[in-house]
Amino acid sequence: MPEADAVASAFAAAASAWPDVPLAREVFAEAVRGLGAQELEKRRAPDLYLALACAQAEPAALAVFDRDLVGVIERAVTAAGATPAETAALVQIVRVRLLVAQQPAAAPAIAGFSGRSSLASWVKVVATREAARLLAHDRREEPRDDLAIADHA
């Protein structure tokens, strides 16, 4: 069965990339179920492995996320136009939205990562979109200055 061999090989390569991050082989296999061997070869197995471990709230994976990917989020929200004061809050919001399930019995958003791109690129896109959405919302709802309102009355 070539698909089983491909999954085993991809899992072994991914696990060796993150030797301090445990993940059950079954979790990885379920995430790539239905992919043919050629499609699986195109995926970034080490990044998928890390994302799956983060979705499982594995402490070592979360430490890697914080070490390697929080900076990606910071740069993305800054590039989206966040002020220094907004950046810290937005980084935490994006981090929580990626790593914590937003509904009971739901998976965290990072579980939706498929390995088609690098995890860093995927996190950057998510952070950019989320920052743009939140910044636009916050700026629409900024309280208006009473004097400015009086000037227009």
Side-chain angles (χ1 to χ4, degrees):
M1 171 185 270
E3 281 77 23
D5 291 343
V7 170
S9 177
F11 179 82
S16 70
W18 304 110
D20 297 330
V21 177
L23 180 70
R25 175 182 267 174
E26 296 78 28
V27 172
F28 186 87
E30 179 63 27
V32 299
R33 185 173 42 144
L35 297 180
Q38 288 182 330
E39 182 61 28
L40 183 55
E41 284 182 26
K42 295 177 188 175
R43 303 295 170 106
R44 295 177 182 248
D47 286 358
L48 179 57
Y49 180 102
L50 180 63
L52 292 168
C54 285
Q56 299 281 313
E58 170 53 49
L62 297 174
V64 171
F65 184 94
D66 288 342
R67 183 191 72 214
D68 294 353
L69 297 169
V70 166
V72 172
I73 297 170
E74 288 173 349
R75 289 186 296 279
V77 300
T78 299
T83 66
E86 294 167 325
T87 297
L90 287 170
V91 167
Q92 286 308 308
I93 290 168
V94 171
R95 185 186 181 282
V96 167
R97 292 211 173 143
L98 285 171
L99 300 176
V100 178
Q102 302 301 302
Q103 301 282 332
I110 200 164
F113 176 72
S114 66
R116 288 189 177 114
S117 65
S118 73
L119 184 55
S121 294
W122 186 84
V123 166
K124 178 182 177 184
V125 168
V126 171
T128 300
R129 289 178 181 167
E130 191 67 12
R133 184 183 72 77
L134 291 170
L135 289 169
H137 181 266
D138 287 350
R139 291 184 177 142
R140 280 194 311 266
E141 291 188 358
E142 282 183 4
R144 298 178 67 175
D145 180 52
D146 288 305
L147 293 177
I149 293 170
D151 287 344
H152 290 14

